[in-house]
Amino acid sequence: MHVLFALPHRNPDEWLPGLQAELPDFKISVWDPAGPPSNADVALVWKPPAELFKHETNLKAVFNLGAGVDALLKMKEIPEHVQIVRLEDAGMSVQMAEYVLYALWRESRTFARYEADQAAGRWEPLEGLRRSQWPVGVLGLGVVGARVAEALAAFDYPVAGWSRTPREIAGVQTYSGADQLPAFLARTRVLVNVLPLTPETESILDRATLTQLLPHAHLINVGRGEHQNEDDILALLNEGRLDSASLDVFRTEPLPADSGLWTHPRVHVTPHIAASTLREETIVQIAGKIRQLARGEQLTGVVARARGY
């Protein structure tokens, strides 16, 4: 089987030795758009150019070097018979859990207030944390969402999760389907979004959704920028309907300099760093899947195009 490394914006010398060590019996090459077609069987990609699929017509599968596949699903150039395989975890879920815990503690433990107190030279201890007042809801219970929910529950926060289809997670109250979304939102003060981006979830973090949360609500978005209506979020913050927002993703990235999110005192902005692909873990996972594919075995992580993830 011929494996094609098709990430023009990444240095192949950082990836190929590890890939070849994991796949010693496989041919591995780097895509050259100016050269003849390689006739590769599978390609490793991340936001690939459309030219790849016009150039390489023998592909049977593409392995996405990241969790989000929305960019691939928008590409009409990918034939229907080509399997799209997403990355499952590879070290990202624990990073997401760390980020969400940091954002939650920053608010629930009033660390943001203490940062301001230090700048003002003010010594003013505040009331201690009562976790019962901080019910958390996790939107999306895939591999990453489940890990986030479990991490939150381990610190004794009241945690619930919502997913499109039913899930069971120890220590987490679960909701599923459109009919149960209002009840999930109504018991949630801190809303954590880790949903995949689909036509159904685009702009889900809008006024209609966020006003169903408990008073003094907080939003943490580590999903996709297209999930959030940024004008609605700013308006709800100014109205006092949202207490804060920790946002790692944005509709336009980098976040434009004139965005009101930069300067709002109750918005915490980070530059899409909640979780990064870890090269070694990614190579091991993808190599394992390629070996499975070569043996004709069923793969996990294959994207259902109609569902969007």
Side-chain angles (χ1 to χ4, degrees):
M1 182 172 280
H2 185 174
V3 179
L4 186 66
F5 184 84
L7 287 88
H9 58 292
R10 293 191 182 179
N11 182 0
D13 293 338
E14 296 178 349
W15 289 79
L16 264 57
L19 285 166
Q20 199 67 74
E22 288 289 329
L23 299 168
D25 299 325
F26 291 70
K27 179 180 179 180
I28 301 175
S29 62
V30 178
W31 180 50
D32 179 7
S38 71
N39 293 319
D41 301 289
V42 300
L44 311 186
V45 305
W46 174 249
K47 296 184 178 179
E51 288 73 22
L52 172 67
F53 302 100
K54 298 174 183 177
H55 192 253
E56 299 290 339
T57 58
N58 193 51
L59 294 174
K60 302 175 180 63
V62 291
F63 290 81
N64 196 47
L65 297 191
V69 295
D70 43 286
L72 289 176
L73 292 175
K74 293 175 183 176
M75 299 184 69
K76 295 181 174 59
E77 295 81 4
I78 304 179
E80 287 294 326
H81 71 272
V82 175
Q83 291 188 91
I84 299 173
V85 187
R86 59 183 168 81
L87 198 60
E88 297 176 286
D89 195 355
M92 289 187 288
S93 65
V94 69
Q95 295 177 73
M96 286 287 195
E98 289 170 341
Y99 183 100
V100 171
L101 282 166
Y102 159 73
L104 175 59
W105 287 334
R106 193 169 185 270
E107 298 302 328
S108 66
R109 291 292 311 275
T110 62
F111 291 140
R113 165 67 184 276
Y114 291 129
E115 291 169 8
D117 285 354
Q118 178 180 351
R122 181 172 53 238
W123 183 279
E124 188 178 337
L126 302 173
E127 181 182 356
L129 170 65
R130 285 191 286 173
R131 288 175 177 79
S132 61
Q133 296 179 349
W134 291 87
V136 185
V138 179
L139 271 175
L141 293 176
V143 173
V144 173
R147 181 69 177 86
V148 169
E150 289 168 347
L152 295 166
F155 284 92
D156 296 335
Y157 287 89
V159 181
W162 180 90
S163 54
R164 188 179 65 89
T165 55
R167 294 289 308 276
E168 290 187 10
I169 300 172
V172 177
Q173 183 180 6
T174 55
Y175 298 78
S176 62
D179 291 347
Q180 294 185 14
L181 182 59
F184 164 80
L185 295 170
R187 53 78 56 207
T188 295
R189 181 179 177 188
V190 181
L191 183 65
V192 179
N193 177 55
V194 288
L195 285 167
L197 181 62
T198 69
E200 291 73 28
T201 64
E202 184 171 356
S203 298
I204 192 171
L205 303 177
D206 62 1
R207 177 177 288 273
T209 296
L210 297 175
T211 52
Q212 295 182 61
L213 300 172
L214 291 169
H216 306 292
H218 301 259
L219 171 64
I220 303 171
N221 186 17
V222 290
R224 293 304 227 187
E226 292 86 348
H227 284 135
Q228 64 198 22
N229 183 317
E230 291 164 5
D231 289 339
D232 282 3
I233 290 169
L234 282 168
L236 292 169
L237 286 162
N238 291 330
E239 294 166 14
R241 189 62 187 81
L242 273 180
D243 270 11
S244 76
S246 294
L247 308 177
D248 184 57
V249 290
F250 304 90
R251 284 189 169 269
T252 300
E253 295 183 357
L255 182 63
D258 61 354
S259 171
L261 296 170
W262 278 118
T263 55
H264 198 286
R266 295 194 305 281
V267 175
H268 189 55
V269 170
T270 50
H272 205 144
I273 49 77
S276 302
T277 300
L278 301 180
R279 186 165 58 247
E280 290 78 10
E281 288 84 345
T282 298
I283 287 172
V284 169
Q285 182 181 135
I286 288 181
K289 289 178 182 290
I290 290 173
R291 289 193 294 267
Q292 285 182 298
L293 185 66
R295 294 192 296 264
E297 298 173 4
Q298 183 67 38
L299 302 183
T300 60
V302 176
V303 174
R305 298 196 190 198
R307 190 177 61 192
Y309 59 93

